[in-house]
Amino acid sequence: MSNAACPPSSASVSLAGDPRWLVPLSLLAMYVIWGSTYLAIRYALASYPPFLLAAMRFAVAGTLLFAVLRLRGVALPTRRQWRNAAIVGTLLLAGGNGLVCFAEQTVSSGIAAVAVASMPLFAAVFAGMNGEWPSRTETAGLLLGFVGVVVLNLGAGLSGSPLGALALIGAAMAWAFGSVWSKRQDMPNGPMNTAAQMLCASVSLIVIALLHGERLPSHPQASATAALVYLVVFGSIVAFSAYLYVLKKVRPAVATSYAYVNPPVAVLFGVAIAGEHVGPFDLAGMAIILVGVGIITMLRTRKA
C-alpha cells in the first residue's frame, strides 16, 4: 500500500522523524550490529581476501542503495559532494574498514574491536587541530586511552602480529580523521551520502586489492558468503546509514561513542560463538581504553 493511498498519521510521522527516537535507535544499531561485524569479517575471510571482501561489501551495498534512491527521485550529488564523498569514503571505509579486514587475518575479532576503540581518542586530537581543543580532564582521558593502547599491544592478541597492530591503529586514525573532516564539508544529503561514500570507497578498495595481488575465490564457503551478505545488508546499509545520520545530529564524540561499546559486544560474540581467547593484558588494555574514551565522551556530551 502506497503512502499516497494511505498517508501516515501525524503522530507516526512525528515519532518516525523525532531525533529523540532516531538518534538512540541509530546508536543502538551501531552498537550491536558493528559489534557483531568483527566476527562476520572473520568468517568471510575464510574464503575472501581482505580488501576484495571490503570492496564487494561496499560495491554491492552502495549500488543497491544508490539505485533505490534514484528510483525514488533523489537528486544526484554535486561535483563537489562527489569529491568530498570520495575523500571521506576512502578514509572511513577503504582506510578504516579495509585495514580492519586486513588485520583480522592475524588478529582475533574481539582484539581487533578493542584496538579500534582507540578511534575516539584520535578523533579528539583531530578535533583539537580544528580548534576544539580538549580540556585538562579530556586530555587526561586521551593519555589514559593511549596508555591502554600500549598495554593492549603487550598482550598476546597484538604482540604476535605487529603488522596487524599497525593496521588497526591506522584504521582507527583514518576513520577518526574522516569523521572530523566531514563535519565541515559539503556532503550529499541523507542516505545518498551513504551510497556515494560506499561507491567511492569500493573503487579505492578495488585498486588496493589489485595492488595487493588479491583474486576472487573460485569456490567460496557458504558460511563465508553468508557472512558477506550480512556485512552488506546490516553492517553497511543499516549501521553505516545510522552512523552518518548520528554524525550530522550530534558532536563527533557522541557519534563515535559506538567505539567503546563495540569491543565488549565483539569480545562476547567472539568468545561465545568462535571460541576466541582474551588474555589478561588484552582485558586490561580494553578496560583502560574504554575508561579513557568514556571520560572524553561523557564530558563532550555535557558540552553539546
Side-chain angles (χ1 to χ4, degrees), residues 189-248:
N189 294 321
M192 183 57 79
N193 189 20
T194 306
Q197 288 193 39
M198 289 194 291
L199 287 173
C200 293
S202 66
V203 175
S204 299
L205 283 161
I206 289 172
V207 172
I208 296 171
L210 291 175
L211 293 175
H212 196 236
E214 296 181 359
R215 297 290 184 271
L216 287 174
S218 56
H219 301 288
Q221 298 177 15
S223 59
T225 301
L228 174 58
V229 172
Y230 177 83
L231 290 169
V232 168
V233 176
F234 293 97
S236 297
I237 296 177
V238 176
F240 192 61
S241 296
Y243 175 70
L244 293 180
Y245 172 78
V246 170
L247 197 60
K248 286 291 185 181

Side-chain angles (χ1 to χ4, degrees), residues 154-198:
L154 296 176
L158 286 183
S159 63
S161 176
L163 187 58
L166 289 174
L168 290 171
I169 298 303
M173 293 181 68
W175 189 282
F177 182 78
S179 297
V180 173
W181 187 81
S182 69
K183 293 284 287 184
R184 298 172 179 264
Q185 307 305 317
D186 177 23
M187 304 297 295
N189 294 321
M192 183 57 79
N193 189 20
T194 306
Q197 288 193 39
M198 289 194 291

Side-chain angles (χ1 to χ4, degrees), residues 25-245:
L25 287 175
S26 297
L27 286 170
L28 180 62
M30 291 154 51
Y31 294 164
V32 177
I33 294 174
W34 271 345
S36 66
T37 54
Y38 289 92
L39 186 59
I41 288 172
R42 174 179 170 180
Y43 280 112
L45 285 172
S47 293
Y48 298 96
F51 294 110
L52 271 181
L53 167 63
M56 290 187 293
R57 170 183 176 180
F58 297 120
V60 174
T63 300
L64 290 174
L65 185 57
F66 183 82
V68 170
L69 292 173
R70 290 297 293 156
L71 288 174
R72 293 175 58 186
V74 177
L76 287 170
T78 64
R79 181 176 298 181
R80 178 183 293 272
Q81 289 174 337
W82 272 117
R83 184 205 67 182
N84 292 340
I87 294 172
V88 176
T90 297
L91 287 168
L92 266 62
L93 302 179
N97 187 269
L99 287 174
V100 169
C101 291
F102 175 80
E104 281 203 43
Q105 294 177 112
T106 54
V107 176
S108 72
S109 61
I111 298 303
V114 174
V116 176
S118 62
M119 186 274 296
L121 307 176
F122 293 109
V125 172
F126 293 134
M129 293 178 180
N130 281 326
E132 297 181 26
W133 292 105
S135 65
R136 290 182 179 179
T137 306
E138 288 175 320
T139 300
L142 282 171
L143 295 175
L144 185 62
F146 283 115
V147 168
V149 173
V150 173
V151 173
L152 184 65
N153 276 271
L154 296 176
L158 286 183
S159 63
S161 176
L163 187 58
L166 289 174
L168 290 171
I169 298 303
M173 293 181 68
W175 189 282
F177 182 78
S179 297
V180 173
W181 187 81
S182 69
K183 293 284 287 184
R184 298 172 179 264
Q185 307 305 317
D186 177 23
M187 304 297 295
N189 294 321
M192 183 57 79
N193 189 20
T194 306
Q197 288 193 39
M198 289 194 291
L199 287 173
C200 293
S202 66
V203 175
S204 299
L205 283 161
I206 289 172
V207 172
I208 296 171
L210 291 175
L211 293 175
H212 196 236
E214 296 181 359
R215 297 290 184 271
L216 287 174
S218 56
H219 301 288
Q221 298 177 15
S223 59
T225 301
L228 174 58
V229 172
Y230 177 83
L231 290 169
V232 168
V233 176
F234 293 97
S236 297
I237 296 177
V238 176
F240 192 61
S241 296
Y243 175 70
L244 293 180
Y245 172 78

